[in-house]
């Protein structure tokens, strides 16, 4: 066991979803689709949408962070670092993490964004964990925040049914009781660069009247191809981390998967030998909130987790990026 070694443990979690609910019934009026198609192909029934001029992902993230600080009774000035996973930043710079600090009253902290699409929260969690386990920092906040509605084309039925907006944040603190992050596998497969992307608005294709007319500022994916990779890679990496740590299905209290498609999640659970009652699944309520899906699940299932529970977090997304994290719940 790893007692007396400093590990990074999640010691609190809080989430935020905007009020507006976009239902499958409403989408039926916007594009040629049906509730039946969306439900059977994805598992999604509704998603949340952030309304209001000038409100971006930092609004979602800051609401989650403020609620996290209030829940733990922590003064914002005690926070050493804020890392925000997002692919829908308010703007290129300042970073969304910078803006969250401003809104939440966090001063003098290290803050930056990580862009790893749907795997962003796992990348950020592991990065934040190293600041704790190295002894450099005592309190690190990791946020997953995405306003996916800002990069979704609501005339494209292939994509607009999938996404929602949301954010959730965790507090990482040191643990010497062998709790917290035990192991991680984080990977990239660049075959994905042509299958899932947002083409314009960056330095390669700066925004122009032409890029707008060609709808290149929206999320694009070749859904069918991405699906095939997602099913294989997310299950591969979840299985690999279990084998590496001598874990079998019965040892796992909960699988906390990225919520992209219920069928991908079922395939992953099946490969791990974990029954669906041990799988955190809330895609029906929120759709795919990209970097926010995993921490939103942690927030919802927090009341069910017990100290010492073995959790496997697993994600797959744009890049491709993918990964798994094995952690022992700390409270
Ligand atoms: O989170 C990051 C990574 N992303 C993922 O993991 C997403 C992976 N992909 C998926 O989840 C699925 O591929 C989708 C949900 C995006 C699509 O489901 P699918 O079962 O792969 O459908 P498809 O793209 O193969 O389309 C099947 C049919 C097509 O019609 P034809 O060509 O068979 O006549 C589509 O045009 O369904 C049609 N279709 C729709 N029909 C009704 C596509 N979108 C819709 C829609 N409503 N919204």
């Amino acid at each position: 066991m790893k007692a007396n070694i400093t590990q990074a443990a999640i010691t609190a979690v809080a989430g935020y979803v905007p009020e507006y609910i976009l239902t499958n019934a409403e989408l039926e009026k916007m594009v040629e689709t049906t509730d039946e198609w969306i439900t059977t192909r994805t598992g999604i029934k509704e998603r949340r949408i952030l309304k209001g001029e000038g409100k971006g992902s930092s609004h979602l993230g800051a609401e989650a962070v403020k609620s996290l600080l209030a829940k733990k009774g922590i003064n914002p000035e005690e926070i050493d670092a804020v890392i925000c996973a997002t692919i829908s930043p308010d703007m290129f710079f300042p970073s969304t993490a910078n803006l969250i600090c401003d809104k939440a009253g966090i001063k003098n902290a290290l803050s930056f964004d990580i862009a790893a699409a749907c795997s962003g929260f796992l990348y950020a969690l592991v990065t934040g964990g190293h600041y704790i386990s190295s002894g450099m920092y005592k309190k690190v906040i990791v946020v997953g925040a995405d306003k996916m509605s800002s990069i979704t084309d609501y005339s494209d039925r292939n994509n607009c049914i999938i996404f929602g907006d949301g954010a959730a944040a965790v507090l990482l603190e040191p643990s010497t009781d062998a709790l917290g992050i035990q192991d991680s596998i984080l990977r990239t497969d660049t075959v994905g660069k042509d299958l899932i992307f947002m083409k314009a608005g960056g330095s390669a294709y700066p925004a122009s009247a032409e890029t707008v007319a060609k709808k290149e500022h929206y999320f694009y994916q070749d859904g069918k191809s991405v699906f095939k990779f997602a099913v294989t890679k997310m299950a591969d990496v979840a299985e690999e981390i279990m084998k590496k740590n001598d874990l079998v299905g019965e040892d796992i209290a909960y699988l906390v998967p990225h919520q992209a498609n219920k069928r991908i999640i079922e395939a992953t659970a099946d490969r791990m030998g974990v029954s669906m009652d041990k799988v955190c699944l809330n895609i029906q309520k929120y759709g795919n909130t990209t970097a926010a899906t995993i921490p939103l699940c942690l927030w919802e299932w927090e009341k069910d987790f017990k100290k010492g529970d073995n959790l496997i977090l697993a994600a797959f997304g744009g890049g491709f990026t993918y990964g798994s994290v094995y952690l022992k719940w700390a409270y």
Side-chain angles (χ1 to χ4, degrees):
M1 293 303 284
K2 297 181 179 174
N4 298 322
I5 294 174
T6 300
Q7 286 170 270
I10 294 175
T11 56
V13 52
Y16 174 78
V17 287
E19 267 174 43
Y20 189 85
I21 298 174
L22 175 59
T23 60
N24 288 352
E26 193 176 346
L27 281 166
E28 281 177 354
K29 294 183 200 138
M30 294 159 69
V31 288
E32 202 183 323
T33 192
T34 59
D35 171 49
E36 203 260 331
W37 191 96
I38 302 171
T39 307
T40 53
R41 299 288 178 126
T42 69
I44 303 167
K45 297 298 275 184
E46 57 189 45
R47 60 296 283 144
R48 301 300 181 100
I49 304 294
L50 178 61
K51 304 268 185 184
E53 184 158 356
K55 285 186 178 166
S57 295
S58 76
H59 173 81
L60 300 166
E63 289 302 312
V65 168
K66 284 191 276 183
S67 147
L68 183 79
L69 293 170
K71 191 170 168 181
K72 278 295 263 187
I74 294 176
N75 182 329
E77 302 198 6
E78 289 176 53
I79 300 302
D80 300 307
V82 176
I83 306 174
C84 180
T86 187
I87 54 158
S88 50
D90 285 32
M91 51 189 87
F92 272 144
F93 65 91
S95 74
T96 306
N98 293 172
L99 299 170
I100 290 172
C101 287
D102 179 63
K103 291 183 166 81
I106 296 172
K107 306 213 190 299
N108 300 320
L110 169 95
S111 68
F112 61 93
D113 289 356
I114 283 185
C118 298
S119 312
F121 181 76
L122 296 192
Y123 274 54
L125 182 69
V126 172
T127 304
H130 288 310
Y131 285 115
I132 298 284
S133 58
S134 67
M136 186 171 175
Y137 292 138
K138 295 274 182 279
K139 285 184 170 47
V140 173
I141 290 179
V142 176
V143 198
D146 269 305
K147 184 186 170 186
M148 292 305 293
S149 61
S150 66
I151 55 170
T152 298
D153 177 359
Y154 285 96
S155 65
D156 172 9
R157 70 174 183 172
N158 292 295
N159 287 315
C160 70
I161 54 124
I162 298 169
F163 294 110
D165 302 338
V170 300
L171 179 67
L172 291 176
E173 293 184 278
S175 163
T176 50
D177 298 327
L179 298 168
I181 299 172
Q182 307 291 310
D183 198 7
S184 63
I185 300 171
L186 298 173
R187 299 225 169 97
T188 301
D189 182 342
T190 59
V191 71
K193 74 181 196 320
D194 301 319
L195 298 174
I196 182 166
F197 55 80
M198 191 174 94
K199 185 169 178 181
S203 52
Y205 301 98
S208 67
E210 196 187 340
T211 60
V212 172
K214 286 160 84 179
K215 298 189 163 195
E216 290 173 346
H217 295 270
Y218 291 127
F219 172 97
Y220 166 83
Q221 74 171 340
D222 173 348
K224 208 185 269 267
S225 303
V226 174
F227 184 90
K228 284 182 196 149
F229 279 100
V231 162
T232 314
K233 297 276 189 188
M234 200 159 102
D236 281 352
V237 87
E239 196 181 34
E240 187 180 336
I241 205 161
M242 286 173 67
K243 282 197 178 139
K244 212 175 143 202
N245 291 279
D246 295 321
L247 297 167
V248 292
E250 295 86 74
D251 299 323
I252 308 302
Y254 289 93
L255 164 65
V256 191
H258 169 54
Q259 314 276 307
N261 188 312
K262 190 172 173 222
R263 290 181 290 147
I264 298 172
I265 294 170
E266 285 165 348
T268 304
D270 186 52
R271 182 97 81 78
M272 293 168 68
V274 168
S275 54
M276 283 306 287
D277 57 316
K278 291 168 153 191
V279 177
C280 300
L281 188 78
N282 60 13
I283 193 170
Q284 69 285 358
K285 290 194 290 190
Y286 303 137
N288 182 348
T289 55
T290 303
T293 60
I294 290 177
L296 278 172
C297 282
L298 295 175
W299 178 46
E300 186 165 341
W301 271 265
E302 181 192 30
K303 61 186 183 324
D304 302 308
F305 297 156
K306 292 184 194 65
K307 191 172 177 176
D309 272 356
N310 288 324
L311 268 52
I312 301 287
L313 283 43
F316 178 89
F320 297 127
T321 55
Y322 57 106
S324 55
V325 170
Y326 162 38
L327 61 82
K328 280 188 182 289
W329 196 248
Y331 59 99

